[in-house]
């Protein structure tokens, strides 16, 4: 980013990223070119290069940032309220609903698997999203008074990741539901 | 497969698949062409098409079958011996060692993410590998006398999948170790 955007500029940029994210979700990153994005956002080539000086690579990275933020945002506000037993059940419902809607497509995963080789910023972006997510779960297990809050947060995070991976692999949501139920059992039973 | 291969033919085919798998692991499926595989296996074009009538797509699918079988084979014989408490610790060590050696690359995952769109056989192959893996874990939780063996097998499977996903995302092995430890805790504590 060479200089800060005005509020209007930031809004335009966000509108472009959001439309590009929709396109990438529908047709995959490798099949999404700058011309598709220009057409769907009614922006000119010079406008696109104003916001994304590196062109397509810059824009796809911005889409990855957008999708990484959504992974956390889709779990809020329940993720921020974790602590007492009912809060874990409420969060579990939110997570299961999100993956049920999403089905076998994980937008961030398909994007990163395509960009990881070409864009060195993608690896740190995903690692930082994982770290943020773990920190929010850890705040929850700590508020819950768990005896090993860090390990328990890791166990819950891995259950979601693993359940989502098994959903992608098989199309079945049951793995996710069961894995998260068992991972949060000590937090729900603490009542 | 138009007709069964002779023992010698099957051995040659396996040698080609194994060499192709090594190439795909090193340079990725998208960067691996038939010419690379011919060069590294010293096979002629007509030989390759004898074993893989569909050409590159057939060969890459055979590599995916090979990698899917390795996911299970890499955990054996410990996976087949699951039951009493020490068996879970032994299997856990085998799994952690395999992922430590493998690091951030999951050969099956990178292959399937590249082939899934183009080859309709890849989805069922991965689903069947997951189902086999779950069945072997379920046999273990059943022999262990767990009260909910199916759910516990799912929880252990998701912990490995999730831990492996977090290893790929962050480069850190600790998530896998912790997640599997917590998932097998009821089986180890049953002593």
């Amino acid at each position: 980013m060479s200089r800060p955007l005005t509020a209007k500029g930031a809004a335009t940029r966000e509108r472009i990223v959001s439309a590009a994210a929709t396109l990438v979700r529908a047709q995959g990153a490798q099949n999404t070119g700058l011309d598709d994005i220009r057409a769907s956002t009614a922006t000119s080539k010079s406008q696109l290069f104003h916001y994304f000086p590196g062109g397509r690579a810059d824009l796809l990275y911005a889409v990855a940032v957008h999708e990484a933020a959504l992974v956390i945002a889709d779990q809020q506000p329940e993720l921020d309220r974790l602590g007492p037993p009912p809060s874990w059940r409420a969060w579990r419902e939110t997570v299961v609903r999100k993956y049920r809607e999403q089905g076998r497509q994980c937008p961030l995963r398909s994007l990163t698997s395509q960009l990881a080789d070409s864009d060195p910023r993608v690896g740190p972006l995903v690692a930082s999203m994982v770290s943020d997510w773990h920190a929010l779960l850890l705040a929850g297990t700590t508020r819950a008074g768990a005896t090993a809050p860090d390990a328990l947060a890791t166990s819950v995070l891995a259950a979601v990741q693993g359940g989502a991976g098994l959903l992608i692999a098989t199309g079945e949501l049951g793995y996710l539901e069961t894995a998260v139920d068992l991972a949060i059992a000590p937090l729900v039973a603490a009542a």
Side-chain angles (χ1 to χ4, degrees), chain A:
Chain A
M1 217 64 55
S2 43
R3 62 198 156 82
L5 295 172
T6 62
K8 193 180 162 213
T12 303
R13 184 180 187 280
E14 179 53 31
R15 183 177 61 79
I16 298 170
V17 171
S18 176
T22 303
L23 270 181
V24 168
R25 281 185 178 220
Q27 61 195 42
Q30 49 194 155
N31 305 316
T32 305
L34 275 187
D35 288 341
D36 304 314
I37 296 164
R38 272 177 50 208
S40 83
T41 55
T43 35
S44 68
K45 205 162 198 167
S46 70
Q47 254 184 314
L48 271 192
F49 280 93
H50 170 71
Y51 293 110
F52 307 98
R56 183 171 175 277
D58 256 18
L59 182 45
L60 286 180
Y61 175 71
V63 172
V65 171
H66 175 88
E67 293 290 359
L70 274 185
V71 172
I72 304 283
D74 281 349
Q75 301 173 48
Q76 284 165 329
E78 289 79 6
L79 181 60
D80 300 323
R81 292 179 185 155
L82 290 175
S87 70
W88 294 94
R89 277 190 287 255
W91 170 76
R92 184 264 196 210
E93 290 310 309
T94 301
V95 168
V96 168
R97 190 182 328 116
K98 173 234 173 88
Y99 283 103
R100 181 181 293 121
E101 287 165 8
Q102 192 166 283
R104 300 183 73 162
Q105 300 305 320
C106 173
L108 185 61
R109 182 166 166 171
S110 53
L111 201 55
T112 56
S113 71
Q114 286 183 31
L115 298 184
D117 288 343
S118 55
D119 193 328
R121 295 171 297 181
V122 168
L125 168 70
V126 174
S128 141
M129 184 275 285
V130 166
S131 163
D132 290 348
W133 191 355
H134 184 271
L136 290 164
L137 288 169
L138 174 57
T141 55
T142 303
R143 281 191 296 268
T147 46
D150 200 306
L152 198 48
T154 296
S155 162
V156 173
L157 178 57
V160 178
Q161 285 279 320
L166 292 164
L167 168 63
I168 293 172
T170 66
E172 290 168 36
L173 190 66
Y175 293 108
L176 176 73
E177 295 175 303
T178 301
V180 174
D181 282 345
L182 265 70
I184 65 172
L187 295 151
V188 172

